[in-house]
C-alpha cells in the first residue's frame, strides 16, 4: 500500500509540471527512463528496469519487484526563417524557439509471482509531444497581422497496465492495455481560408486506447531475442480544432520493435535493435499538406546500446541511434513551427546501486543539430513556402531512482 501511495503521489506531482518535450522519433521519446535513454531506447531484448512495460511487456518476468521513478529535463531548440518564401514573413528573419527546461515524468512498477513466472506491471509515462512558440508569424503578416500562426503545443501521456508470463524458462510473452491522454493547442492558420483555427490556442483534451504485445526468447544463456508490436492508439476528436484537423483524429501510430542482446561477459550486455513507426497510418500526420496533413513519412530506426557493470555497483551505459527522414524537403514549410528533422542521437549514462534496495541513475541525450530548406516542389503549400529554412537541436537529461525488493 505504501509503495502504491508513493507511485500515485509522484505521478500526480510530475504530471502537473510537465509542459514540453524533447523528442527524437517524430514526436516520441527515444526511450523511457534513464536506463533506456542512456542506451538510445534499447531494452526490448534486454529488460533492465520496470520501464520495459512501455516497449516490451514480455520482459517483466526478467525484472525483479521494483519501482522506477524518473524525470526527464528536455531542452529543445528550433529555428525558423520564412523570409525567402512567397507566403513567408519577410520581416521576421531567423526566429529561435529558445532553450527552456521542461520536466517530463516516467514511473513504472512490476510485481512477480510464482517464482517470477508471472508478472504484473503498471507504468505512467509521457510518451512524447511537440511544442513551439515564436514571437512572429510563420506566414505573411499582411494575412496574420503577426497575431497567429506562431504557436503549437501537443503532449501525450500513457497509463499502461501489463501482464507477462514465462511459458518456458527461456520464453516469455507479455501484453499491455494502453490508455492515452493528449493535450493539444495551436493558433495555426487554415490554409484554405487564410484565417486562424477556431481553436485559437486553447487547450483541448483527448482520450485514447490501444495495446501492445511482446515476446522474449533466450535460445542460449548468452543471447536474447525480443520482438514487440504496439497498436494504433485511437483517440477522441479534438472538436475545437475540427477546421484544422478535419474529421481526422490525432491518433498515435502502430510500431514494431525487434532486438538482439548478447552477453559476452556476465557484467556486459550489447544490444542492437530495429524500430519501425508507421506515421502514414495517422491521416493528420501522414497525408500531404495540400490534403490537410503534415506529410510525415514512415520511419526506420536502428539502435545500439551497451551496459557494463563494475563490481555489481556501478553501471556504465552508452547508446546511439540513426533514423530515416521523417520529413522530405517538400514539407518543411508545413512543419516549420516544429521541424522534427533529427537523424542522429547519441546517449550516455551511469547507474549506482546505493544499497541492496536503492539505485540512482543518470542519463544524457543529444539529437545532433540539423538544418533543412523547403524545396517548393511538393504542391501549393510547398510552393508558397519555398526557401523556408529550419534547424533543430535537442538535449535531454534524465535523473531517476529505483527501489528494488
Amino acid at each position: 500500500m505504501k509503495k502504491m501511495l508513493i507511485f500515485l503521489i509522484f505521478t500526480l506531482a510530475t504530471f502537473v509540471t510537465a509542459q514540453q518535450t524533447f523528442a527524437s522519433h517524430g514526436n516520441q521519446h527515444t526511450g523511457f527512463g534513464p536506463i533506456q535513454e542512456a542506451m538510445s531506447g534499447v531494452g526490448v531484448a534486454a529488460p533492465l528496469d520496470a520501464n520495459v512495460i512501455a516497449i516490451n511487456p514480455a520482459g517483466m518476468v526478467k525484472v525483479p519487484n521494483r519501482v522506477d521513478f524518473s524525470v526527464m529535463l528536455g531542452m529543445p531548440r528550433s529555428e525558423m526563417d520564412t523570409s525567402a518564401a512567397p507566403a513567408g514573413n519577410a520581416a521576421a528573419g531567423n526566429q529561435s524557439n529558445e532553450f527552456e527546461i521542461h520536466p517530463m515524468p516516467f514511473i513504472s512498477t512490476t510485481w512477480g509471482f510464482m517464482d517470477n513466472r508471472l508478472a504484473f506491471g503498471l507504468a505512467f509515462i509521457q510518451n512524447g509531444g511537440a511544442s513551439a512558440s515564436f514571437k512572429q508569424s510563420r506566414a505573411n503578416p499582411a494575412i496574420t497581422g503577426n497575431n497567429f500562426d506562431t504557436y503549437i503545443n501537443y503532449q501525450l501521456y500513457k497509463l499502461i497496465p501489463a501482464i507477462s508470463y514465462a511459458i518456458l524458462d527461456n520464453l516469455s510473452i507479455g501484453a499491455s492495455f494502453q490508455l492515452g491522454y493528449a493535450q493539444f493547442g495551436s493558433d495555426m492558420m487554415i490554409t484554405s481560408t487564410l484565417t486562424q483555427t477556431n481553436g485559437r490556442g486553447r487547450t483541448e483534451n483527448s482520450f485514447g486506447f490501444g495495446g501492445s504485445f511482446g515476446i522474449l526468447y533466450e535460445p542460449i544463456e548468452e543471447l536474447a531475442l525480443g520482438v514487440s508490436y504496439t497498436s494504433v492508439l485511437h483517440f477522441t476528436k479534438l472538436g475545437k480544432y475540427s477546421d484544422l484537423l478535419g474529421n481526422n483524429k490525432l491518433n498515435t501510430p502502430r510500431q514494431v520493435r525487434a532486438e538482439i542482446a548478447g552477453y559476452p561477459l556476465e557484467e556486459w550486455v550489447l544490444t542492437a535493435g530495429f524500430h519501425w513507426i508507421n506515421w502514414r497510418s495517422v491521416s493528420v500526420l501522414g497525408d500531404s499538406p495540400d490534403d490537410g496533413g503534415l506529410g510525415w513519412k514512415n520511419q526506420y530506426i536502428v539502435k545500439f546500446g551497451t551496459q557494463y557493470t563494475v563490481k555489481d555497483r556501478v553501471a556504465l551505459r552508452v547508446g546511439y541511434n540513426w533514423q530515416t527522414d521523417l520529413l522530405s524537403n517538400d514539407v518543411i514549410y508545413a512543419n516549420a513551427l516544429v521541424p522534427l528533422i533529427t537523424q542522429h542521437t547519441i546517449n550516455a549514462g551511469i547507474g549506482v546501486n546505493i544499497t541492496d534496495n536503492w539505485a540512482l541513475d543518470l542519463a544524457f541525450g543529444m539529437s545532433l543539430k540539423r538544418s533543412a530548406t523547403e524545396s517548393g516542389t511538393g504542391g501549393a503549400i510547398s510552393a508558397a513556402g519555398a526557401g523556408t529554412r529550419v534547424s533543430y537541436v535537442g538535449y535531454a537529461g534524465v535523473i531517476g531512482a529505483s527501489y528494488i525488493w
Side-chain angles (χ1 to χ4, degrees), residues 193-213:
T193 62
L194 303 182
T195 58
Q196 183 180 182
T197 172
N198 291 332
R200 296 184 178 274
R202 294 169 295 179
T203 298
E204 175 122 2
N205 302 316
S206 181
F207 299 89
F209 67 92
S212 69
F213 178 82

Side-chain angles (χ1 to χ4, degrees), residues 133-340:
S133 179
F134 292 92
K135 292 182 179 180
Q136 299 190 61
S137 173
R138 165 179 53 174
N140 191 321
I143 299 171
T144 66
N146 270 332
N147 293 321
F148 61 90
D149 206 40
T150 63
Y151 164 78
I152 186 171
N153 180 49
Y154 168 68
Q155 306 299 327
L156 172 64
Y157 305 88
K158 287 182 181 181
L159 181 66
I160 311 174
I163 185 173
S164 178
Y165 181 69
I167 301 173
L168 303 171
D169 290 342
N170 64 344
L171 176 64
S172 62
I173 58 174
S176 76
F177 180 67
Q178 301 194 359
L179 298 169
Y181 169 69
Q183 297 176 322
F184 181 83
S186 181
D187 67 351
M188 289 176 67
M189 181 176 67
I190 306 301
T191 54
S192 59
T193 62
L194 303 182
T195 58
Q196 183 180 182
T197 172
N198 291 332
R200 296 184 178 274
R202 294 169 295 179
T203 298
E204 175 122 2
N205 302 316
S206 181
F207 299 89
F209 67 92
S212 69
F213 178 82
I215 300 173
L216 181 61
Y217 176 57
E218 300 169 317
I220 57 175
E221 188 175 352
E222 296 82 11
L223 184 68
L225 307 172
V227 178
S228 68
Y229 170 82
T230 302
S231 73
V232 172
L233 260 68
H234 299 274
F235 277 82
T236 55
K237 290 184 178 181
L238 295 163
K240 292 186 181 75
Y241 292 94
S242 59
D243 56 346
L244 181 65
L245 305 176
N247 292 319
N248 299 316
K249 302 174 183 178
L250 197 51
N251 297 333
T252 63
R254 64 177 60 91
Q255 304 179 50
V256 175
R257 295 175 172 90
E259 287 181 14
I260 180 170
Y263 299 83
L265 300 172
E266 184 179 354
E267 63 272 19
W268 187 20
V269 57
L270 293 165
T271 306
F274 170 81
H275 185 182
W276 174 70
I277 306 179
N278 184 205
W279 296 111
R280 293 288 194 190
S281 64
V282 181
S283 295
V284 71
L285 301 177
D287 289 352
S288 72
D290 286 0
D291 293 327
L294 290 174
W296 290 15
K297 299 189 293 185
N298 295 338
Q299 281 189 295
Y300 303 87
I301 305 155
V302 180
K303 306 181 180 187
F304 303 93
T306 185
Q307 173 181 282
Y308 185 81
T309 305
V310 181
K311 296 183 178 180
D312 293 326
R313 283 294 179 187
V314 178
L316 306 175
R317 307 178 181 110
V318 294
Y320 165 80
N321 74 66
W322 174 90
Q323 57 192 305
T324 57
D325 284 328
L326 177 71
L327 308 178
S328 58
N329 286 337
D330 58 2
V331 298
I332 296 300
Y333 181 70
N335 290 271
L337 291 180
V338 186
L340 300 172

